[in-house]
Amino acid sequence: MTRKLSIKQSQSIESFLVEDRVFEPCITRSKVGSINSMVEYKALCHEALQNPDEFWSRLARENIVWTKHFTHVLDESNAPFYRWFYDGELNVSANCLDKHIGTVTEKKIAIIFEADDGNVTEITYYDLFIRVCKFANALKAEGIKKNDCVIIYMPIGIESIVAMQACVRIGAIHSVVFAGFSSKALEERIIDTDAVAIITANVQLRGGRELPLKLIVDEAINNGQCKTITLVLVYERTRKHWKRVIGRDKSFLEVLEGVNSACVPISVNAEHPLFILYTSGSTGKPKGVQHASAGYLLWVILTMNWVFDLCLNDIFWCTADIGWITGHSYVTYGPLAVGATQLIFEGIPTFPHAGRFWEMIERHKVSIFYTAPTAIRSLIKEAETKEEVHPKNWNLSTLRILGTVGEPINPEAWIWYYRYIGRESCPIVDTFWQTETGGHIITPLPGITPLVPGSCTLPLPGIDALIVDEFGNELQNGIGGMLVIRRPWPAMIRTIWKDSETFKKCYFPEKLGNNFYLLGDSAVRSSDRGYFRITGRIDDVLNVSGHRLGTMEIESVLVSKTDLVVEAAVVSRPDDIRGETICAFVVLKGSLPTLEEGKVIADELRDWVSKGISPIAKPSICFCENLPKTRSGKIMRRLLRSLAKRESLMQDITTLENPMIFNALVHFF
Ligand code: PRX
């Protein structure tokens, strides 16, 4: 395969740090299931707009193995609760595994697992299929049935993928909780889903450390509220002893002993909930995003082919954890559904050294690499200070496509990624999407879309994205506004678990009219090419190292420390490496602390947030006597944001109830 990404104009790469440079891509794409030219891309976009029913119906017939064929494509009668292919039946696990059995793919490596300590395990499609069948039978034998919700609180590994696939095989609905979340966050999710079982591991291994997962599960259940849990299944990652609750806890080995390896996948309706995944929004409570089986499956298959141009011999590596949507779509489902060989990694990019990612790309001959800008930025910093971990020390010539996800990538990081990892030969797909969209929605197609660093370029076929003002009027290119999607598409969120009202209010606000799906991001299109550039969130959602966190969520945890805190307001502060960091303005009971007291209390509060949500939510803390408020008592977050960003302090404070507070805070910064 020939591949070359040429740069327009003959300038040195350093002079490309202006955002509107265009990188003309030219790799030869695979012919199978792919889009092979801009002409084909435009034709597909046109077809999707003109004949959406035919477009989606054709793709769903071509890409999904149905147990009962659908006769209807889209049901809009109860919008925005759309239903897709709703009289069809299928099983998603069968579409990821069974369909490869009896083909050449069954002998192919499905997953290469590299452990934290560097140990490598490989599993073929056939062996993975047997493992999933056995695990599904074990779940059935333990009484788990269709529609039951199962929480998966596990580190990434072959076992966690098996657990997810096994749930789907028997029609159970999984809800994966990121293993970095605290017992409190886990407890909330157990309660909200009414889960009957938890699948976990005794420990998680990361960066040479052992983290006790089972202990956290016990803590969450013992908090007293989780009455629905009757089974805790424990994968013994190490020999480390774990405390057993008799009658409730079992090890993987125990439930798998003597289990039959034949398990017919259950046929479910196209709209059967595939999983629930919690994500932060602008309310204090995380939202359980519910995805449907067929629509989601279709989209992960299409995007694997269109955006990653998956070919027979590719080694695909998405570095995301299964606790996030990226790990669902581009680790557990997408790669298996298209029969790819993928690498998964248990550890962290800086252990035992900050060249680990590059070393792994060389060792496993990775050809498609997909990671978050925050990881790239932190590795740039390492490489710049330590010669021995610079990527030039490794042979990265197997790479042909690079991807980023989760947050905007700044042009400097883009250029470094392009130059040192892609050797100026690999297109970078800056994929924009979110938990609710199921898969990529705005992204370049490698080898087809001319690239502009920092821009996610153009919507995929079938995604009718536009930018509107607050009343839903479409805005011209060059004018920033709210990003919306005009028409439904199969992989979109179906509802918020047990909260259809919030679903409607949050994603289809009445004031926009026309049933626009509101993403919560602001964006602008370039005047020349109509390329999209994501400019930030329009709600109170933060993006810290690519992790989505709600300011309200963090505030609720802070004010729940009632012995110390009276009030708190959380805003973000831009950060060179992590994109954003969290800044909390806190009003304490009593008077302002001294410097020394302040340090101790701030540590206590950070620890409290870590236990209430996760260490990723730890804020830096600024104590104040009061928060700046409007006369109607609303916190003036605009001012706090400016303060945290150290922006111009010439603010309009005429509507402030307590302007003296602002002056005090300005002084503080
Ligand atoms: O704000 C956008 C940002 O991440 C949000 C979605 O977060 P989450 O649901 O956790 O899913 C992350 C993985 C898809 C979006 O609303 N975001 C995601 N990708 C990009 C991005 N912002 C800019 N550019 C991106 N490529």
Side-chain angles (χ1 to χ4, degrees), residues 3 86 201 214 257 268 279 366 487 575:
R3 49 192 152 76
Y86 59 89
K214 170 64 167 57
E257 206 185 324
V268 298
T279 188
V366 172
R487 297 278 311 153
D575 183 89

Side-chain angles (χ1 to χ4, degrees), residues 344-363:
I344 59 173
F345 174 44
E346 184 180 40
I348 56 172
T350 48
F351 177 80
H353 57 78
R356 180 83 182 253
F357 271 8
W358 324 133
E359 187 182 84
M360 284 178 64
I361 290 172
E362 178 183 300
R363 179 160 47 243

Side-chain angles (χ1 to χ4, degrees), residues 8 15 54 63 99 112 136 205 211 235 270 302 356 381 405 447-448 532 540 553 587 591 595 610 626 647 657:
K8 252 194 183 173
S15 59
E54 267 171 48
N63 289 284
K99 84 168 180 207
I112 306 165
L205 302 177
L211 308 166
Y235 164 57
L302 291 176
R356 180 83 182 253
K381 204 170 156 212
V405 58
I448 290 167
F532 286 78
D540 294 321
E553 233 174 296
V587 182
S591 51
L595 205 63
S610 176
N626 208 335
E647 275 175 2
E657 162 80 11

Side-chain angles (χ1 to χ4, degrees), residues 279 324-326 404-409 430-436 456 519 521 534 536-537 543 546-548:
T279 188
W324 311 109
I325 189 68
T326 311
T404 67
V405 58
E407 52 187 318
I409 179 161
D430 174 353
T431 62
F432 169 78
W433 57 298
Q434 53 181 202
T435 306
E436 296 86 338
C456 51
L519 288 109
D521 284 288
I534 306 300
R537 294 285 306 189
N543 195 327
H547 300 315
R548 189 165 147 185

Side-chain angles (χ1 to χ4, degrees), residues 571-647:
V571 295
S572 86
R573 172 189 280 177
D575 183 89
D576 283 351
I577 304 286
R578 290 183 285 174
E580 286 180 288
T581 55
I582 308 164
C583 184
F585 293 83
V586 173
V587 182
L588 291 175
K589 280 188 168 165
S591 51
L592 277 176
T594 61
L595 205 63
E596 282 309 306
E597 287 165 349
K599 276 189 192 152
V600 176
I601 302 175
D603 279 346
E604 191 176 344
L605 290 178
R606 273 196 291 273
D607 211 36
W608 181 254
V609 174
S610 176
K611 289 202 177 102
I613 304 175
S614 160
I616 53 181
K618 275 187 184 179
S620 60
I621 290 178
C622 163
F623 295 111
C624 40
E625 255 178 284
N626 208 335
L627 297 172
K629 291 198 182 135
T630 62
R631 296 206 170 91
S632 59
K634 273 195 168 173
I635 299 169
M636 289 271 270
R637 286 167 200 282
R638 169 175 60 82
L639 289 186
L640 295 176
R641 270 186 222 119
S642 305
L643 280 170
K645 284 183 192 158
R646 298 191 176 94
E647 275 175 2

Side-chain angles (χ1 to χ4, degrees), residues 240-505:
K240 196 184 177 81
H241 173 76
W242 50 277
K243 220 171 99 204
R244 178 187 297 263
V245 174
I246 310 281
R248 187 197 71 185
D249 299 354
K250 292 190 175 160
S251 74
F252 270 35
L253 278 182
E254 286 157 2
V255 297
L256 286 168
E257 206 185 324
V259 161
N260 196 320
S261 60
C263 174
V264 178
I266 182 169
S267 178
V268 298
N269 183 273
E271 281 295 305
H272 178 70
L274 181 65
F275 61 80
I276 305 162
L277 184 59
Y278 284 82
T279 188
S280 299
S282 38
T283 57
K285 198 172 157 267
K287 299 176 287 193
V289 172
Q290 182 184 320
H291 276 289
S293 301
Y296 173 85
L297 174 70
L298 175 62
W299 198 237
V300 295
I301 294 175
L302 291 176
T303 49
M304 282 302 296
N305 287 327
W306 289 349
V307 182
F308 293 127
D309 184 42
L310 235 291
C311 299
L312 201 62
N313 297 324
D314 273 320
I315 308 284
F316 178 78
W317 185 17
C318 163
T319 65
D321 189 274
I322 49 150
W324 311 109
I325 189 68
T326 311
H328 281 57
S329 304
Y330 301 109
V331 176
T332 303
Y333 294 107
L336 297 181
V338 299
T341 296
Q342 69 170 318
L343 172 65
I344 59 173
F345 174 44
E346 184 180 40
I348 56 172
T350 48
F351 177 80
H353 57 78
R356 180 83 182 253
F357 271 8
W358 324 133
E359 187 182 84
M360 284 178 64
I361 290 172
E362 178 183 300
R363 179 160 47 243
H364 300 288
K365 303 189 170 40
V366 172
S367 57
I368 304 169
F369 179 63
Y370 189 39
T371 196
T374 197
I376 299 166
R377 285 192 295 262
S378 66
L379 295 176
I380 292 176
K381 204 170 156 212
E382 296 281 346
E384 275 173 1
T385 48
K386 291 182 215 120
E387 186 74 7
E388 68 276 16
V389 296
H390 197 284
K392 65 185 180 206
N393 295 310
W394 286 277
N395 177 358
L396 306 180
S397 63
T398 51
L399 285 170
R400 65 180 195 96
I401 294 172
L402 301 175
T404 67
V405 58
E407 52 187 318
I409 179 161
N410 49 313
E412 291 79 2
W414 194 101
I415 295 290
W416 188 91
Y417 195 33
Y418 175 72
R419 179 182 196 177
Y420 290 109
I421 310 306
R423 308 157 337 277
E424 298 177 29
S425 312
C426 303
I428 297 176
V429 287
D430 174 353
T431 62
F432 169 78
W433 57 298
Q434 53 181 202
T435 306
E436 296 86 338
T437 66
H440 310 144
I441 53 169
I442 307 181
T443 172
L445 299 175
I448 290 167
T449 318
L451 306 167
V452 173
S455 165
C456 51
T457 72
L458 296 170
L460 288 172
I463 302 297
D464 190 6
L466 60 155
I467 294 172
V468 297
D469 66 14
E470 57 182 319
F471 305 108
N473 303 307
E474 182 163 4
L475 295 170
Q476 291 166 9
N477 290 356
I479 301 178
M482 294 187 284
L483 182 60
V484 295
I485 299 176
R486 185 158 29 200
R487 297 278 311 153
W489 73 104
M492 68 194 295
I493 173 177
R494 290 303 187 267
T495 187
I496 293 174
W497 187 249
K498 295 203 285 198
D499 194 358
S500 49
E501 264 319 295
T502 305
F503 167 74
K504 269 211 286 202
K505 264 199 235 141

